[in-house]
Amino acid sequence: MALIENIREILNNVGVVYNYQNKNDSRLAVNDRQGLLYLIDNVFEIYPLLTTNQRNRYNLLKTTLMNGTTHFKTLEGYEEYKSTFMLSNSVVWDLVELYESGNLQVDNWIIGFINGEGCFYLNKGRCSFMIEHTDKNALDLIKHRLNIGPSVLERSARSRDEGKARKTTYQLNISSKKDINTLIAFLDNKENIP
């Protein structure tokens, strides 16, 4: 809870912190127009979201706020608005190109992404790391930034996936000693937020 309160203070006290009674967990929710506009101007326009899905959802929220939309009469009306917006405004960035141009600071973002999506594990006694996501572009950026060997691969369907609708996901698997050491050095770099 103290961490969430600290984040809220840094964000000019926007939003409300909710603490769960049945588990040691809390969340920060920003639901008011002024708070959302503050976050747009002071966070997301300075530190853009990098995955395509999150960026598209953010742009939908931003456009809706800027247009002054306060509600939709029906769920179908919202879905129609959303699909029209996504068709006309979905932009895919080449993250590696943005990084190479110097227009993207990514080290702390990568650490956060790894924290949320990555997995260290032992495979036949060898340390390995795997990260899986629906945004291949994000994994390509991580591979490029770390200058590691393995390719980003499309995850093949597994037998448990048969008959299920599932999004295509991509994996970056690191198992060579050299690449694992590169990842460890990156994560241990004191200039990055742990």
Side-chain angles (χ1 to χ4, degrees):
M1 176 168 156
L3 178 61
I4 292 286
E5 289 290 352
N6 190 353
I7 292 170
R8 184 173 178 267
E9 285 178 32
I10 291 169
L11 295 175
N12 203 30
N13 293 311
V14 299
V16 177
V17 174
Y18 295 96
N19 298 307
Y20 294 95
Q21 291 182 3
N22 58 346
K23 60 182 176 176
N24 188 17
D25 207 352
S26 55
R27 68 181 172 100
L28 172 63
V30 181
N31 298 314
D32 65 290
R33 180 178 170 75
Q34 284 308 114
L36 291 169
L37 291 173
Y38 177 85
L39 291 178
I40 288 170
D41 290 340
N42 295 284
V43 177
F44 298 114
E45 290 301 309
I46 298 168
Y47 307 103
L49 296 163
L50 298 183
T51 63
T52 302
N53 184 48
Q54 291 294 343
R55 191 171 52 257
N56 287 341
R57 290 173 61 197
Y58 162 71
N59 286 330
L60 176 63
L61 172 70
K62 178 181 168 185
T63 301
T64 304
L65 281 170
M66 298 302 178
N67 288 342
T69 304
T70 57
H71 68 281
F72 293 92
K73 292 183 180 182
T74 64
L75 180 59
E76 291 80 14
Y78 166 73
E79 291 296 337
E80 182 179 332
Y81 174 80
K82 179 180 162 186
S83 65
T84 302
F85 175 85
M86 292 302 190
L87 284 174
S88 61
N89 294 293
S90 183
V91 176
V92 176
W93 293 346
D94 184 332
L95 297 178
V96 171
E97 185 178 298
L98 279 173
Y99 173 72
E100 284 294 314
S101 70
N103 292 326
L104 202 56
Q105 300 299 317
V106 298
D107 287 3
N108 288 315
W109 178 86
I110 289 173
I111 289 171
F113 195 79
I114 287 171
N115 191 42
E117 306 291 336
C119 172
F120 289 93
Y121 63 97
L122 289 176
N123 183 14
K124 297 179 184 173
R126 292 182 58 191
C127 181
S128 296
F129 171 80
M130 189 268 296
I131 191 164
E132 183 173 345
H133 202 266
T134 57
D135 196 322
K136 182 180 184 295
N137 215 359
L139 298 181
D140 284 335
L141 173 65
I142 293 169
K143 173 190 167 28
H144 179 79
R145 168 59 188 90
L146 296 178
N147 192 25
I148 54 178
S151 298
V152 174
L153 303 172
E154 184 175 331
R155 189 193 103 178
S156 58
R158 298 177 185 147
S159 60
R160 67 178 182 224
D161 297 329
E162 288 179 28
K164 296 179 184 174
R166 73 164 187 89
K167 292 182 179 179
T168 300
T169 59
Y170 301 89
Q171 290 181 339
L172 178 60
N173 293 296
I174 302 170
S175 59
S176 78
K177 187 174 182 178
K178 175 186 173 283
D179 289 341
I180 290 291
N181 284 329
T182 297
L183 178 61
I184 290 169
F186 175 78
L187 294 173
D188 285 347
N189 184 337
K190 301 292 185 220
E191 294 181 18
N192 296 331
I193 298 170

